Amino acid sequence: MKINNNFKILVFIILAFYFENEQSYSQENGKTNDIVYSNLNSNDFSIAKNNLLSTLTLNKDLLQIIVGNDSYNSVSNLGIPSEIRIDDQKVEFVYKDKKNNPINTVAIHFTYLLDLKLKSYKLDNRQPNGTVYVENHLKVGNVTLMMNWQYNVIISSILRNLKQIQDSLNNQRFNMAQFKKYVVENKSAKNNPISEEQRKNIIKANTYTKLYEYQNAIEAYKKVLEINQVNYAAAYFNLALLSAELNKLYTAIDYMEKYIVLNESSDTSVAKSKIDEWNFILNN
Amino acid sequence: MKPTFRHYGILLFLTIGFVTKQNLSAQTGNPVVNGDYTIHYPKLSNKDQDFEKIKSNLTTVLKRANWIYDFKSKTELPSKEIKEIFADNEGIKIIAKSKKNNQIYNYKNIIDSTMVFYSYKNTWHYVNFPSLANIGFSNFYDAQQLADYIYHIQYPLIDKRRDSLLLIFKPIAKTYKTSGINEVSQEQKALFKQADQFVKQNDFVEAIKVYNKAININQLTYPEIYLNVALLYAQINFFDYAIYYMQKYLLLEPKATEARNALDKIYEWEAIIGK
């Protein structure tokens, strides 16, 4: 019997290993394939959303919310939320019991996540009596999710879920597969000469960049692309660099990828190295 | 740290190398320093605001003015003596009342006059309406705001006036095409030389005056004058005039080798004033 029992455990462990390996394998495979863009859809968003809700509700009692102003000079710890709600727009942390608490709900809007660099960090909270609480902070704009350091794994899983949501939303926003399809279908449009209206907007964008008005420059380039998406590839390159300048790195990477799609035949090493640079900044 | 895209992005497609008789490669759109004076320019930065909102904003900005100099009576009204100041409904006229003698300063034509926005020794900033009033500020941003608000109301009128002037010029330009190149007179040649010298000394205002004298002698002898004058106006941040003269040049020589660059320059100036 003993042997049998041990055998069962062994099989279980091997099976677990097998599944884990397969999972990671499929993920790696997905990264190299082009399908990675097409298989992410709205379904993906709902899965990520449900994952986030389950991790948050399971560990609700360990989580504390800190709210600060924009400059993060004054912060206040609201404590453990009494309820967590989630819908298509936002995550809400509700405080019911505290009568003196001025803030009843704290919300994290998903659209806010789009170009945010998400990262958790360790913080030593020294009390006046000498004790030290080691805390783990996950800052999302003005709202910080806080847990004790021993629940490090939970915070990182919340982070992963938020990143999933971020990825799916970004993929919905840019829709690379559709763009590739468009480029293949409209090959003749690529050779169209630049129209007068486009040229006007290109020059405007250039002057705005000279005057450091980056937001205006981005809008001018977008007008160029409204007229013809594939006509002027340099617009994507410049849009990428401009949005990187405004700290919108996810947007920048996507524009750069579109630039590479349009310039497949020529040398795009500069664009690729830029993408690597931005990915490095986002992941570290 | 300098961002790299200024080198990539701008030079990737367009190299705006503008070759003229005068080599004016200096970048436009920055304040121009001329001795103690710095010439700025107004911008169409508040596009979405309606007239009522701009009117109320104008009065709040006007109240922050440090003084008003009246050209007619040649008197100065410091902010202490201003009893009341506001922008009125009829195409923005500024009304100021003094405490001492209850005199009323009423500027009706402010919308029709050209505006010069400059600062003196970087300490005093003026919004100047020639032969009407000179409004002085100690705070640069207040002066910029006042100039922007007034320019926002002025701009449609400027656009209309420019179009009507160009309509008058169109038939004259056609005669140039049919009659061929007229000969440049000795008097004009002397003026060109004089203007060149002023440009070499970076005295663009004087150069423009001399060129305008040459234009008054004969409008059609030498179309490049318009191009040069347009560029000179852009150098001293008078972009409305620059666009006007450049469009005149394009009417005279629509098929010139520099016509493409000239049109690009117009787009650039329109972007600078924030159209």
Side-chain angles (χ1 to χ4, degrees):
Chain A
M1 288 301 286
K2 271 183 182 177
I3 295 159
N4 207 359
N5 229 345
N6 277 341
F7 184 68
K8 264 185 185 174
I9 290 161
L10 225 158
V11 164
F12 200 76
I13 288 165
I14 287 165
L15 266 174
F17 251 98
Y18 175 71
F19 280 124
E20 206 180 67
N21 276 340
E22 197 182 43
Q23 213 179 9
S24 65
Y25 172 73
S26 68
Q27 274 172 355
E28 277 169 21
N29 205 19
K31 267 176 196 170
T32 51
N33 262 340
D34 291 342
I35 311 157
V36 73
Y37 298 111
S38 58
N39 67 5
L40 285 159
N41 45 28
S42 57
N43 193 26
D44 211 70
F45 172 67
S46 61
I47 290 166
K49 210 176 67 181
N50 288 334
N51 284 344
L52 179 66
L53 183 64
S54 59
T55 41
L56 281 175
T57 41
L58 275 171
N59 308 298
K60 199 185 75 180
D61 297 340
L62 309 173
L63 185 75
Q64 290 181 44
I65 306 290
I66 300 171
V67 187
N69 61 353
D70 279 328
S71 54
Y72 221 63
N73 289 329
S74 66
V75 288
S76 58
N77 193 339
L78 301 179
I80 299 161
S82 47
E83 196 188 330
I84 293 167
R85 289 188 211 135
I86 202 162
D87 58 22
D88 283 349
Q89 311 291 324
K90 58 191 180 299
V91 193
E92 267 186 338
F93 303 96
V94 185
Y95 291 90
K96 278 180 182 171
D97 332 324
K98 293 182 180 176
K99 284 174 186 173
N100 297 328
N101 200 343
I103 297 163
N104 293 320
T105 54
V106 177
I108 297 172
H109 288 264
F110 292 140
T111 47
Y112 189 77
L113 293 175
L114 283 172
D115 271 305
L116 205 69
K117 183 189 168 184
L118 290 167
K119 203 188 170 187
S120 67
Y121 54 94
K122 193 176 169 183
L123 203 92
D124 294 350
N125 191 356
R126 284 174 194 280
Q127 298 296 317
N129 60 4
T131 52
V132 179
Y133 297 111
V134 186
E135 292 166 352
N136 203 2
H137 285 225
L138 170 58
K139 193 172 171 238
V140 187
N142 302 343
V143 182
T144 307
L145 312 183
M146 192 265 276
M147 269 188 196
N148 203 312
W149 176 251
Q150 55 180 313
Y151 310 118
N152 183 19
V153 186
I154 297 164
I155 271 278
S156 61
S157 76
I158 291 169
L159 177 71
R160 216 178 301 127
N161 291 330
L162 281 173
K163 271 188 176 173
Q164 270 179 12
I165 288 173
Q166 197 181 31
D167 279 355
S168 65
L169 281 174
N170 270 329
N171 279 308
Q172 267 181 51
R173 182 158 64 137
F174 298 111
N175 212 340
M176 204 65 182
Q178 204 186 19
F179 182 73
K180 276 182 181 173
K181 210 177 162 188
Y182 184 88
V183 171
V184 173
E185 282 170 358
N186 299 286
K187 270 185 179 173
S188 59
K190 205 174 172 180
N191 297 323
N192 281 359
I194 288 157
S195 69
E196 193 60 34
E197 187 67 24
Q198 276 183 313
R199 194 186 171 93
K200 187 179 178 177
N201 280 312
I202 291 162
I203 291 160
K204 280 192 174 185
N206 286 341
T207 43
Y208 284 136
T209 42
K210 273 184 201 168
L211 298 170
Y212 301 92
E213 294 172 11
Y214 297 144
Q215 196 55 49
N216 286 341
I218 284 173
E219 274 157 26
Y221 274 128
K222 276 182 181 170
K223 273 179 195 166
V224 175
L225 298 180
E226 269 174 27
I227 296 160
N228 192 334
Q229 282 189 44
V230 289
N231 199 359
Y232 181 62
Y236 288 104
F237 191 88
N238 291 349
L239 270 171
L241 294 170
L242 284 165
S243 33
E245 199 69 11
L246 295 175
N247 259 332
K248 295 179 176 174
L249 293 185
Y250 284 105
T251 325
I253 288 167
D254 252 276
Y255 278 129
M256 212 48 126
E257 276 170 354
K258 282 182 179 176
Y259 172 76
I260 290 168
V261 168
L262 281 174
N263 277 8
E264 271 174 339
S265 53
S266 54
D267 180 34
T268 51
S269 56
V270 179
K272 276 170 187 165
S273 65
K274 273 279 165 194
I275 289 178
D276 291 343
E277 190 187 316
W278 293 326
N279 270 323
F280 181 80
I281 293 167
L282 283 170
N283 295 327
N284 289 288
Chain B
M1 204 177 83
K2 277 194 172 180
T4 45
F5 71 84
R6 236 162 280 144
H7 311 295
Y8 285 125
I10 291 157
L11 300 177
L12 205 62
F13 177 72
L14 286 163
T15 46
I16 309 170
F18 206 83
V19 188
T20 53
K21 293 282 173 189
Q22 271 113 34
N23 187 20
L24 297 168
S25 55
Q27 193 189 320
T28 49
N30 293 327
V32 178
V33 182
N34 187 4
D36 287 340
Y37 295 95
T38 316
I39 306 170
H40 308 284
Y41 57 95
K43 274 191 163 190
L44 293 167
S45 50
N46 23 31
K47 276 177 194 168
D48 306 325
Q49 296 181 9
D50 57 335
F51 185 77
E52 283 299 314
K53 208 174 180 183
I54 279 181
K55 205 183 74 184
S56 65
N57 285 340
L58 241 173
T59 40
T60 51
V61 172
L62 276 171
K63 276 169 191 167
R64 285 183 225 145
N66 290 46
W67 64 76
I68 294 176
Y69 182 79
D70 185 44
F71 280 102
K72 250 184 193 174
S73 60
K74 291 182 181 175
T75 48
E76 199 175 273
L77 256 182
S79 60
K80 281 179 191 173
E81 290 180 18
I82 295 172
K83 193 181 173 187
E84 206 179 344
I85 185 163
F86 60 95
D88 196 21
N89 225 347
E90 290 172 32
I92 298 295
K93 62 180 179 189
I94 294 170
I95 298 166
K97 285 178 188 170
S98 70
K99 275 179 187 173
K100 272 186 182 174
N101 44 12
N102 266 334
Q103 202 179 346
I104 298 171
Y105 299 88
N106 196 340
Y107 304 111
K108 280 182 190 173
N109 301 329
I110 226 158
I111 196 150
D112 292 325
S113 82
T114 50
M115 178 166 49
V116 189
F117 172 30
Y118 67 94
S119 49
Y120 176 69
K121 285 188 175 176
N122 272 332
T123 44
W124 301 113
H125 313 282
Y126 298 94
V127 180
N128 185 12
F129 302 95
S131 74
L132 275 178
N134 197 3
I135 304 167
F137 290 88
S138 60
N139 187 351
F140 173 75
Y141 293 101
D142 289 342
Q144 175 86 53
Q145 269 190 1
L146 179 72
D148 285 0
Y149 287 134
I150 290 174
Y151 191 58
H152 180 87
I153 298 155
Q154 275 186 337
Y155 191 77
L157 290 171
I158 291 168
D159 226 16
K160 247 185 212 171
R161 198 181 304 151
R162 190 196 294 137
D163 285 349
S164 61
L165 282 171
L166 285 171
L167 260 178
I168 296 163
F169 191 71
K170 241 180 198 174
I172 302 167
K174 268 183 188 173
T175 60
Y176 167 74
K177 283 175 213 162
T178 51
S179 68
I181 303 159
N182 301 0
E183 272 191 24
V184 184
S185 66
Q186 286 292 329
E187 204 180 346
Q188 276 183 315
K189 273 181 187 170
L191 286 171
F192 292 162
K193 273 187 183 174
Q194 212 181 329
D196 275 344
Q197 274 191 344
F198 278 125
V199 172
K200 271 176 195 168
Q201 294 162 11
N202 282 345
D203 198 346
F204 300 131
V205 181
E206 285 301 316
I208 288 166
K209 278 180 188 170
V210 173
Y211 271 129
N212 274 328
K213 271 184 201 168
I215 288 171
N216 283 334
I217 292 165
N218 192 339
Q219 284 187 318
L220 304 173
T221 43
Y222 197 65
E224 271 79 12
I225 302 176
Y226 291 104
L227 191 111
N228 282 345
V229 172
L231 289 169
L232 287 167
Y233 268 123
Q235 286 293 306
I236 54 167
N237 286 345
F238 279 69
F239 296 108
D240 293 321
Y241 287 90
I243 290 167
Y244 171 59
Y245 276 89
M246 201 58 114
Q247 275 170 347
K248 266 189 165 181
Y249 171 73
L250 283 172
L251 279 177
L252 284 170
E253 291 217 348
K255 285 172 186 172
T257 47
E258 282 166 4
R260 180 67 263 182
N261 285 336
L263 199 58
D264 289 353
K265 272 282 168 189
I266 288 176
Y267 296 152
E268 194 188 322
W269 295 329
E270 279 178 353
I272 287 170
I273 58 173
K275 192 189 170 187

